[in-house]
Amino acid sequence: MSTAQSATCKRLAIMGAALAIVAGALAAAPAAADDVDAVYLGTRTGNVDVLGGPQKWHYEDKQYRSLTMRNTRNHYIHVSYRGCKKWRVRISVAHPEGGYTEDETTVSGCNKTAVVSNIGKLNANVTLSVTLLVSGDTRSVSIRPIN
């Protein structure tokens, strides 16, 4: 191998290493980055049909097992609707120390997403409810835990 070829190989190796570092820095974070004190278990997805028509509310529930509290599961739920309505999303789950924990948020406008989160018992179902504020129509679904 000549000196010129050796220098070219070194430059290519350095550029490859630099590219790997940049690609790693720009890559999407893993799902576990949502909650550093927990282990990512998976995501449950589904739909809530409030109006009985083609437009539905879509949810994604990212579930994590807590590393800091015994017998607990963290839920981060994203609820999206592509239409134009004023609506409220509410979640409720049994808490390990008794009772229930709840979170809710109200959304108005078009093509919106709501985010709600909660901590509940490890094996408890989460009740997700979507309510139209104008008519009061409400539909609920039960989201099972990921084992």
Side-chain angles (χ1 to χ4, degrees):
M1 185 182 274
S2 71
T3 307
Q5 288 175 331
S6 176
T8 302
C9 286
K10 286 181 184 177
R11 272 185 260 144
L12 286 174
I14 291 170
M15 286 177 23
L19 180 62
I21 291 170
V22 170
L26 296 177
D34 291 339
D35 196 337
V36 294
D37 294 332
V39 176
Y40 177 69
L41 298 173
T43 301
R44 288 236 190 253
T45 62
N47 294 308
V48 181
D49 186 3
V50 179
L51 299 172
Q55 291 184 327
K56 295 176 175 48
W57 281 256
H58 179 74
Y59 68 85
E60 292 182 357
D61 177 14
K62 289 184 180 180
Q63 299 181 17
Y64 300 83
R65 181 184 175 109
S66 176
L67 296 175
T68 57
M69 295 186 294
R70 276 181 19 141
N71 193 33
T72 59
R73 179 184 305 260
N74 304 345
H75 298 269
Y76 297 93
I77 303 175
H78 296 246
V79 182
S80 303
Y81 182 65
R82 293 185 180 247
C84 297
K85 300 272 184 210
K86 187 169 184 179
W87 49 282
R88 179 175 53 236
V89 62
R90 181 177 178 272
I91 60 172
S92 177
V93 64
H95 194 271
E97 296 175 1
Y100 286 84
T101 57
E102 301 171 348
D103 189 17
E104 71 177 45
T105 188
T106 301
V107 179
S108 62
C110 301
N111 301 321
K112 297 291 184 174
T113 297
V115 179
V116 286
S117 61
N118 220 330
I119 297 173
K121 282 185 180 178
L122 185 61
N123 295 319
N125 291 347
V126 174
T127 301
L128 167 68
S129 301
V130 176
T131 303
L132 297 180
L133 297 181
V134 174
S135 64
D137 291 335
T138 301
R139 295 294 181 272
S140 298
V141 295
S142 182
I143 304 171
R144 294 181 298 121
I146 296 172
N147 293 327

